[in-house]
Amino acid sequence: MIYLDNAATTFPKPEAVYKAMDEMNRKAVNAGRGSYKTAHKMSEIISDTKQHIRNLVNTDAETPVIFSPSITVALNQIVNGFEYLDNENIYVSPYEHNAVARTIWNVSKKHKINIIEMPLNDDLEIDIEKLKYEFSKKKPSYIYCTHISNVTGYILPVDKIFIEGKKYGSINILDTAQSLGLIPVDSQKIGADIIAFAGHKTLYGPFGIGGFINISRIKLDPFITGGTGSDSLNLDMPSGLEARYEAASMNMVAIAGLNAALKILDQQSILKHERELTEYLVNGISEIKGTRLLCPTNENNRVGIVSIVLDSINSDDAGIILDEDYDIAVRTGYHCAPYIHSYLKDTDKMGTVRISVGQFNSTRDVDELIKAVAELV
Amino acid sequence: MIYLDNAATTFPKPEAVYKAMDEMNRKAVNAGRGSYKTAHKMSEIISDTKQHIRNLVNTDAETPVIFSPSITVALNQIVNGFEYLDNENIYVSPYEHNAVARTIWNVSKKHKINIIEMPLNDDLEIDIEKLKYEFSKKKPSYIYCTHISNVTGYILPVDKIFIEGKKYGSINILDTAQSLGLIPVDSQKIGADIIAFAGHKTLYGPFGIGGFINISRIKLDPFITGGTGSDSLNLDMPSGLEARYEAASMNMVAIAGLNAALKILDQQSILKHERELTEYLVNGISEIKGTRLLCPTNENNRVGIVSIVLDSINSDDAGIILDEDYDIAVRTGYHCAPYIHSYLKDTDKMGTVRISVGQFNSTRDVDELIKAVAELV
């Protein structure tokens, strides 16, 4: 199988991740739930993994890092953790994933909030000037922004968006599912108050671990409640800046895998490699007549992910042929991104064919894909 | 290490679980998110695992089984999924875990509901006659009941409780964290509408997978929202009886581990073994002066877990000595069970020393523990 669906989950993971998980599996007990040595060791591995995450976003050792079973759960904890006031304006980029979009939509059924999509220009990039004007008219209370689109690979100008929002006191939430570990995320410069992350995508960790970094130590209502192994007689969640949001047993096996992934993560090399592959892919596809490329035209503003639409065939059908006749795994459809397709104008083709590369792909993989697409159209 | 903390997580897991997880890790892609063969195979493994769960509770192939990252998340989905009316009575057993207790408490801050603890008799067992009287005075709308206490190993008479509640039309939720895979859970007889389960405890699966079986197909509000790989343009969660509650990528590695665990689960043998070990433990401890046994006196009503309190020493200190001087892992404290300690009268000793056995423990392990406790008092 030629795997070009790395935006769904990176595959394979580094061998060290598999090894660390298997080793942990054979010694994993419940962290922080017992007073014995092995339970303490589990807690140390958790702390060490969190410190790697802090280093990656350039924040100090005191910044709370909350582990959740997935970035979806983390984003639910965040979105549902705020106390929204009537008529507050919630800005979202049109590139949001359903982990944000559906969750805010769900919140809007219970609270009188206004969900506002940020404006795009003709290149389908955020129109910063128009956005500034929007902000001045309708003050942003919250801004949710994905860092890299999981449909087109577009790198959103989150620093510009967030810093502009801060002029109005907005709370800024960054979704790094497709960016952390691939492109720099500097919490000192980017203006994000909370950064959500996924373990199993650009960080090359396993399923079962994600979370959020609470840069500005914002107090959220605990969304998921349960046992924390501490203060058990208290029916309220503990007040600790991490424990408050960490009910249930920690998934030690997934954390060990993420730990191993973070230890060997070489962001600069991966970025260089993915940029080269992305450009190679874009150039190859753009020479095939009957295909429409859906990614930013400015190559500095894209990486890793490219969507295409074929004139001759629905995207789902294209995906099936790529799989069955060429053994190439891509993803087709709408990619859990509800807003952007009205801009991409791809609904007559049932969404896009998404090609997403990872550190283990080669130009040969891209060659095979291009050859197959050329035969398809 | 002599591991006697199986109620926190069973350890070790069967070798087949480790192998299945490592193998899956090396081929795991994202289930149901791609149209390629491997993604389909992932979906098949999910379906097969769910069918094992259905078989275990004796329900038909149409019954929705929802996978969640943990039983804590599952219980949050359930407790927060109902639309509570003013003044509804929510019955809970005094043996509930904080995954239920804190979550209902949290709900009670937003809704005018009455949380009522079920009455206990002098043996600290549910007083069914008094409960019947309570039900007649205050009609039960919801009944939350754990199947086996994670503090004392008490097997609650859930069938009697639930069937009595059904006379008043109650919705009955069973927490099988400590029971599924160990004692029979027959959904045809037990009167439960929803059964929540944990993968990593009595089922001998890994961390990262739990869920609930929606026996009565009760429509819950989706609590966690996000991408489902389907119907992506719709901001509401899909209507499918499982998909509606299954946002985010499935943890395929954990599911593969649970699948392997379920394939080889031999409930009858494990139950026989744990019953023998439990009685052996109870007999041994009861001969040591200066210890107080906290478990049902009727041996038919207990299994797997025994708590003790030592006259001479706080439970936490006892746990540390057992670890450091004897390399025995037990758990001490309140075990995330907030209500029961006022009945157990153990707060002056900082909770209990909990000893919990599993299928891989032997009488020799129990001998070591008894010897150590005898030296401690």
Side-chain angles (χ1 to χ4, degrees), chain A residues 5 36 103 109 225 236, chain B residues 5 33 36 103 109 225 236:
Chain A
D5 193 18
Y36 44 99
T103 308
K109 293 175 185 170
T225 54
D236 287 305
Chain B
D5 193 18
R33 299 296 199 276
Y36 43 98
T103 308
K109 294 175 186 171
T225 53
D236 287 306

Side-chain angles (χ1 to χ4, degrees), chain A residues 1-4 273 276-277 280-281 326 328 357 360-372:
Chain A
M1 174 178 62
I2 295 172
Y3 186 76
L4 293 168
H273 181 62
E276 285 167 4
L277 283 183
Y280 189 72
L281 171 64
Y326 300 91
I328 297 174
V357 298
F360 297 112
N361 285 119
S362 63
T363 51
R364 215 178 307 164
D365 296 336
V366 177
D367 284 337
E368 293 290 320
L369 183 275
I370 291 169
K371 201 182 107 197

Side-chain angles (χ1 to χ4, degrees), chain A residues 30 33 227-229 232 249, chain B residues 4-9 71 93-101 145-156 175-179 201-202 294-296 303-308 331-341 344 346 352-357:
Chain A
N30 213 325
R33 299 295 200 272
T228 47
S232 292
S249 304
Chain B
L4 292 168
D5 193 18
N6 288 281
T9 194
I71 187 171
S93 90
Y95 287 98
E96 293 313 290
H97 185 276
N98 266 327
V100 167
C145 198
T146 192
H147 201 176
I148 295 184
S149 162
N150 75 322
V151 182
T152 68
Y154 171 39
I155 304 169
L156 281 81
D175 173 350
T176 67
Q178 304 289 349
S179 69
K201 301 199 181 203
T202 39
L294 301 171
C295 65
V303 71
I305 300 165
V306 170
S307 265
I308 60 175
R331 186 170 159 200
T332 61
Y334 300 112
H335 319 294
C336 300
Y339 306 126
I340 196 61
H341 300 281
L344 297 178
D346 58 4
T352 80
V353 175
R354 182 183 73 183
I355 304 135
S356 51
V357 298

Side-chain angles (χ1 to χ4, degrees), chain A residues 5 8 15 25-26 30 33 36-37 76 98 102-103 109 223 225-226 228 231-232 234-236 331, chain B residues 5 8 15 21 26 30 33 36 76 98 102-103 109 223 225-226 228 231-232 234-236 323 331:
Chain A
D5 193 18
E15 178 64 25
N25 228 344
R26 291 161 192 278
N30 213 325
R33 299 295 200 272
Y36 44 99
K37 285 180 290 290
N76 271 264
N98 266 326
R102 281 182 172 165
T103 308
K109 293 175 185 170
F223 175 65
T225 54
T228 47
D231 201 13
S232 292
N234 188 348
L235 286 172
D236 287 305
R331 187 171 159 203
Chain B
D5 193 18
E15 178 64 25
M21 289 173 75
R26 291 161 193 277
N30 213 325
R33 299 296 199 276
Y36 43 98
N76 271 264
N98 266 327
R102 282 182 172 165
T103 308
K109 294 175 186 171
F223 175 65
T225 53
T228 46
D231 201 12
S232 292
N234 188 347
L235 285 172
D236 287 306
D323 172 46
R331 186 170 159 200

